[in-house]
Amino acid sequence: MPLPPSEESSARIVGVLLAAGAGRRYGKPKVLVEGWLATALGALCDGGCTDVILVLGAAQVPAPPGVAVVVASDWDAGLSASVRAGLLGAEGMGADYAVLHVVDTPDVGAAVVRRVLQRALSSQAGLARAWFGARPGHPVVIARRHWPAVLEQLSGDQGAGAYLRGRPDVENVDCADLAGGEDVDTPR
């Protein structure tokens, strides 16, 4: 189900796919796992994002046409480096919202992105996060007005979670009926 035309046309929504890590526990960068990149990019594109940024670091891969690439040169500092590079890239594109997603949740599709995005667009705070049962996950939607505070709190292998945990106005969006949302850290 696409976003209502008024919401879709009035907000510039940039999907940010975080795919810079080395995947040490997995044995290789997860952006190299067959099918995962296409699945995650498809979720963002089909889920309502106006544009998509692919954040790379440990491995370089060609991006499909229409997908911007940002390299987190300090990717080995942890997830914070990827989120920082992605949000700065979204800022440079004039985005109103960033949809942060990770490459290693291959069962998360466009329906999850769309649901979380719609909740963020309809909320006062412009903040929403997917939940899978009792566990928070991705995607996370963050309105531009929050980016300076998110960037200030980024550190090491922590993404936007520290900022979101401190906000009582984050929309926690149950998506367990659509996906499991687990980060895949080891080959199966």
Side-chain angles (χ1 to χ4, degrees), residues 6-7 18-19 29 34 47-48 50 62 68 77 83 89 112 114 121 123 143-144 150-151 154 159-160 173:
S6 61
E7 290 178 12
L18 305 172
E34 188 170 339
T50 312
V83 173
V112 173
R114 192 175 307 108
L121 290 172
S123 76
R144 184 184 185 112
V150 170
L151 290 168
L154 290 174
V173 184

Side-chain angles (χ1 to χ4, degrees), residues 12-16 49-53 90 93-100:
R12 180 125 192 225
I13 301 158
V14 174
V16 177
C49 296
T50 312
D51 297 288
V52 176
I53 294 171
M93 294 175 107
D96 298 306
Y97 291 86
V99 180
L100 303 180

Side-chain angles (χ1 to χ4, degrees), residues 8 14-15 35 42 50 55 61 71-72 103 108 118 134 139 154 170 175 179 185 187:
E8 195 169 333
V14 174
T50 312
V55 182
V61 298
V71 176
V103 74
V108 172
Q118 287 176 335
L154 290 174
V170 175
C175 296
D185 289 328

Side-chain angles (χ1 to χ4, degrees), residues 15-171:
V16 177
L17 183 58
L18 305 172
R24 288 180 185 91
R25 288 177 287 176
Y26 196 87
K28 67 180 177 182
K30 295 176 190 174
V31 71
L32 300 176
V33 176
E34 188 170 339
W36 285 10
L37 178 60
T39 298
L41 291 173
L44 290 169
C45 291
D46 297 338
C49 296
T50 312
D51 297 288
V52 176
I53 294 171
L54 171 59
V55 182
L56 296 173
Q60 302 300 310
V61 298
V67 174
V69 172
V70 173
V71 176
S73 57
D74 57 344
W75 63 267
D76 56 346
L79 183 60
S80 62
S82 298
V83 173
R84 182 174 291 106
L87 286 179
L88 293 174
E91 183 176 55
M93 294 175 107
D96 298 306
Y97 291 86
V99 180
L100 303 180
H101 190 36
V102 291
V103 74
D104 62 351
T105 55
D107 73 332
V108 172
V112 173
V113 173
R114 192 175 307 108
R115 183 180 288 176
V116 177
L117 181 55
Q118 287 176 335
R119 284 284 290 278
L121 290 172
S122 65
S123 76
Q124 292 270 333
L127 295 168
R129 181 175 205 169
W131 277 74
F132 302 93
R135 182 179 40 79
H138 289 89
V140 172
V141 180
I142 305 172
R144 184 184 185 112
R145 67 183 171 274
H146 298 282
W147 298 353
V150 170
L151 290 168
E152 186 176 302
Q153 289 189 23
L154 290 174
S155 171
D157 208 26
Q158 300 275 331
Y163 179 76
L164 297 174
R165 280 189 295 278
R167 303 276 318 192
D169 53 354
V170 175
E171 296 284 333

